[in-house]
Amino acid sequence: MASTLISNNVVANTDRSRKKKKKKTQARDQQLQQQEDDKNHNKWKSETQQQIYSSKLLQTLSQVHLSPPPPSAPATATRRGRAVREAADRVLAVAAKGKTRWSRAILTNRLKLKFQKKHRKQPRVVSATGTSRSPKKPKVSVLRLKGKSLPAVQRKVRVLGRLVPGCRKQPLPVILEEATDYIAALEMQVRAMTTLANLLSGSTASSSASSSSAPPPS
């Protein structure tokens, strides 16, 4: 009887020590993860990271065709703006080094767009009468109809998941973590692009002023 009690006490003490070690390990892992997240969020606020992003963005934009469109072609201006935005986002994802879901989603989406451009033509279905017709449009999904009946909090979480790349079907903790890093990266992107725009506009104004003040040729 006594030996049974002693063995039970030993087992209970062993279980308690294991649970304590497990809690300590989880707490240490959470602390390390929090420190890593804070480090990633703070890096977007540094001047060094902004300068690196600006230099890479200039290199990427120099490879994008940004010739001024004619006045009668507003669609060309839209394509130019889309090209600049895609280049800025792509450089931002590269700067994140693929450590976040949103950066990997942006880079993956770029590859998908390239693949879709190669296979842009839709197959045309030939009916029994010999006339060709386009494929039918997809019907409204059941998930979209169910989304209208969700509570307000869940609807907001779903909207936030759609705004952050790669977080459409992720749980709330992942969405919040990715959104925090994504917003910090976007703020750095806005600062860098504003600085570049001011520098380019200033250089253009100074060049035009110097050319207008130059003496006429004799």
Side-chain angles (χ1 to χ4, degrees), residues 19-202:
K19 289 181 180 179
K20 287 182 180 180
K21 289 181 180 179
K22 188 175 181 180
K23 288 182 179 179
K24 289 181 179 179
T25 304
Q26 291 178 350
R28 185 173 65 252
D29 293 341
Q30 291 178 357
Q31 185 178 4
L32 292 176
Q33 183 65 32
Q34 185 65 32
Q35 292 176 358
E36 184 68 20
D37 294 340
D38 294 340
K39 183 179 178 181
N40 292 333
H41 299 160
N42 292 330
K43 78 172 185 178
W44 299 117
K45 300 179 182 180
S46 64
E47 291 291 335
T48 304
Q49 184 66 34
Q50 182 174 334
Q51 292 175 0
I52 294 173
Y53 173 77
S54 301
S55 61
K56 291 183 179 180
L57 180 60
L58 279 176
Q59 294 176 1
T60 306
L61 291 178
S62 63
Q63 301 174 1
V64 179
H65 299 289
L66 297 177
S67 57
S72 60
T76 307
T78 304
R79 284 197 297 269
R80 290 174 60 216
R82 189 184 298 115
V84 173
R85 184 173 68 251
E86 289 178 355
D89 291 342
R90 188 167 65 254
V91 175
L92 190 66
V94 172
K97 300 179 180 179
K99 294 182 178 180
T100 53
R101 286 183 176 270
W102 64 262
S103 60
R104 293 192 295 269
I106 291 175
L107 297 175
T108 305
N109 188 43
R110 178 65 179 172
L111 297 176
K112 289 181 180 179
L113 290 176
K114 286 185 177 180
F115 180 79
Q116 289 175 0
K117 287 180 180 179
K118 293 181 180 179
H119 306 276
R120 182 174 293 177
K121 293 183 178 180
Q122 294 183 353
R124 302 187 69 85
V125 181
V126 180
S127 61
T129 58
T131 58
S132 61
R133 56 187 176 84
S134 301
K136 293 182 180 180
K137 294 182 179 180
K139 297 180 180 179
V140 179
S141 62
V142 180
L143 294 176
R144 186 177 299 178
L145 294 176
K146 289 183 178 179
K148 296 181 180 179
S149 60
L150 290 175
V153 176
Q154 293 185 12
R155 287 201 302 270
K156 292 179 180 180
V157 171
R158 178 170 292 187
V159 171
L160 182 60
R162 291 174 180 171
L163 293 176
V164 182
C167 295
R168 184 179 291 268
K169 297 181 180 180
Q170 297 302 320
L172 180 58
V174 176
I175 293 176
L176 293 178
E177 180 182 351
E178 293 287 326
T180 303
D181 188 76
Y182 186 52
I183 291 172
L186 289 179
E187 290 176 348
M188 189 274 297
Q189 184 187 61
V190 171
R191 292 195 303 269
M193 296 186 74
T194 303
T195 304
L196 289 177
N198 293 334
L199 291 175
L200 293 176
S201 61

